[in-house]
Amino acid sequence: MKILLRETERSLKSGNEVDFEPNLLPYKEAVEKHLTPRPPLVTVESILQRTPIHAIVDVNDGLASDLRQICTESGVGAEIEQQNIPIANITRKVAQEVSENPIDYALYGGKEYELLFTLPEHQHRRLEALGDSITVIGRIVDQSKGVELVTENADRVELRWGGWDHFRPRESRRRMQE
């Protein structure tokens, strides 16, 4: 989204929007992921064939917001390990170019089109057959511990509500993305 906004701004500043050619080729993967998200290869059915799950949500409003939703509805807390959160190389590249932290994109961005689910810890091994498409990013804990990110330095940071809110006024959504 940042790249699309940047190129739109460049177009408007150029004064020649008709002949302006945006520089999107280096960001093809990111633009495609944003404009035409693909469903995950692993489906709920393939997960359920291997083990019962406690809760599931598609991550489209940001990992932090969707995780907090699961925790609130289930009356639990969670801790996720920063180093376990998968972040695409193109996401890291874009974040670096715009001087932002890629972990913020994973936590508070949107359009991931991934599944976030919880299951008993002793059931993890039953999902190994699904290969690299499943990543254990943390664990469910007592509600009193809140919903935290454990950073690479072992610091604990309370995850704030965030991500994309379709019902927030347009101007507020824009500020949130900046």
Side-chain angles (χ1 to χ4, degrees), residues 72-84:
T72 299
E73 295 294 323
S74 302
V76 297
E79 60 182 32
I80 56 174
E81 303 284 337
Q82 178 177 337
Q83 70 269 10
N84 293 349

Side-chain angles (χ1 to χ4, degrees), residues 11-74:
S11 170
L12 294 172
K13 284 182 179 178
S14 75
N16 188 1
E17 296 90 10
V18 175
D19 294 326
F20 180 82
E21 292 191 31
N23 182 21
L24 296 177
L25 191 57
Y27 312 99
K28 183 177 189 256
E29 180 186 350
V31 171
E32 284 178 352
K33 191 169 187 161
H34 181 76
L35 296 178
T36 56
R38 293 183 201 101
L41 296 176
V42 173
T43 65
V44 175
E45 292 170 3
S46 62
I47 295 167
L48 288 173
Q49 287 172 354
R50 288 166 176 77
T51 184
I53 56 176
H54 289 164
I56 190 165
V57 66
D58 64 323
V59 179
N60 62 13
D61 294 329
L63 176 59
S65 182
D66 292 321
L67 176 61
R68 288 188 70 89
Q69 179 183 357
I70 283 178
C71 291
T72 299
E73 295 294 323
S74 302

